[in-house]
Amino acid sequence: SGVRGLASAVQEGMRHCRGDLIAVMDADLSHPPELLPALVRAVREGREVAIASRYAAGGAVRHWSAGRYWLSRWGNALARPLTGVADATSGYFVCRADVVRPLALELRGFKVLLEILVEGCVHRVCEVPYEFTDRVRGSSKLGPVVMRDYLSQLIRLYGYRRRHPCTHHRPGSASQSVQTGRQRLSVVILTKNEERRIGRCLESVRWADEIVVVDGMSADRTVEICERFGARVIRHAFEG
């Protein structure tokens, strides 16, 4: 669509990753970093994608209005026939790089994970439940335009699935999916004016092989802190 926003920021980070696994998470700690090892372990054990799920058994959402909660559940119900997962709109997940790299230049939808699950023909996926806590500052982008874009994305993906039935595994995605040797993990973190919390976020993933920060033109010390930490920083305006 040419619109630069959150989804395109995730894609930008993915294109710059060099690891065998890619983790996507927000920097505001609404995505608990302590869940990341479980997601990584699931992929290293043979899954193609591991999703931090608000709606799998044991998951929960805090500090949302009833309207926003049911809109989110409704949106995931519409996507479930395409994906078979409870939380296809999650913004926190780990995937194999070879699943997403062929798609990185073509992902167009508002929800990147949904796009990966459908167009990546993902078969081996698991959901790890967690309790989502909404951001302390800022506001949700959910509104009529976002809902329209999401419905448009769903219509396009249902059409894609009809044209490209996902009835086969990609080479290496089944019995060969557990690779020999250690897989390198790249973590993509999205930031904008997060100087108060980014240090804790970076520290929590220090064990990763690579940290890529996609920064939405922060006006505070976020970039300085990330660079001092040794993370690779990409400046990318969030205009969506």
Side-chain angles (χ1 to χ4, degrees):
S1 66
V3 176
R4 302 180 69 194
L6 185 63
S8 65
V10 174
Q11 293 169 234
E12 186 73 10
M14 286 178 170
R15 283 196 288 268
H16 285 80
C17 286
R18 295 170 291 200
D20 301 300
L21 310 181
I22 296 175
V24 176
M25 64 189 295
D26 287 347
D28 59 7
L29 301 182
S30 60
H31 295 157
E34 59 270 18
L35 189 68
L36 187 57
L39 298 173
V40 171
R41 184 166 56 251
V43 178
R44 283 180 170 161
E45 289 174 352
R47 273 68 170 198
E48 294 167 294
V49 178
I51 303 167
S53 177
R54 300 162 292 183
Y55 304 129
V61 174
R62 293 176 56 195
H63 305 148
W64 270 9
S65 67
R68 185 178 175 195
Y69 173 80
W70 286 110
L71 273 174
S72 178
R73 294 306 300 262
W74 171 75
N76 275 288
L78 290 177
R80 190 152 194 170
L82 280 171
T83 65
V85 304
D87 196 357
T89 63
S90 175
Y92 187 12
F93 58 93
V94 174
C95 63
R96 282 176 27 192
D98 64 344
V99 171
V100 74
R101 281 194 179 118
L103 306 173
L105 297 176
E106 301 176 5
L107 296 175
R108 293 175 286 148
F110 171 67
K111 291 296 184 181
V112 171
L113 174 61
L114 176 59
E115 201 99 351
I116 291 170
L117 293 174
V118 177
E119 296 195 3
C121 197
V122 172
H123 292 274
R124 301 173 64 83
V125 59
C126 74
E127 294 184 85
V128 179
Y130 81 110
E131 186 176 273
F132 176 86
T133 302
D134 202 7
R135 59 177 63 83
V136 176
R137 294 178 176 83
S139 58
S140 170
K141 305 298 187 295
L142 184 63
V145 173
V146 168
M147 289 186 285
R148 181 203 65 196
D149 289 346
Y150 179 64
L151 289 174
S152 296
Q153 181 182 16
L154 279 176
I155 292 169
R156 178 173 55 79
L157 290 176
Y158 270 102
Y160 177 90
R161 179 55 56 84
R162 283 195 299 271
R163 295 190 303 274
H164 305 88
C166 193
T167 57
H168 63 282
H169 293 287
R170 290 182 313 280
S173 65
S175 60
Q176 300 175 5
S177 63
V178 181
Q179 301 178 18
T180 58
R182 183 179 177 280
Q183 295 169 312
R184 298 180 68 249
L185 173 68
S186 297
V187 175
V188 179
I189 302 175
L190 310 182
T191 62
K192 184 171 183 179
N193 297 329
E194 289 288 351
E195 65 177 13
R196 296 182 59 186
R197 290 175 289 193
I198 190 59
R200 283 184 294 152
C201 181
L202 292 168
E203 186 63 38
S204 73
V205 293
R206 182 183 287 274
W207 52 275
D209 298 287
E210 177 185 42
I211 300 174
V212 178
V213 173
V214 183
D215 182 75
M217 312 306 289
S218 291
D220 62 4
R221 296 176 55 249
T222 298
V223 170
E224 175 190 339
I225 294 169
C226 292
E227 290 178 340
R228 191 166 65 236
F229 193 89
R232 195 147 53 97
V233 179
I234 301 163
R235 305 301 296 274
H236 179 91
F238 296 170
E239 298 171 355

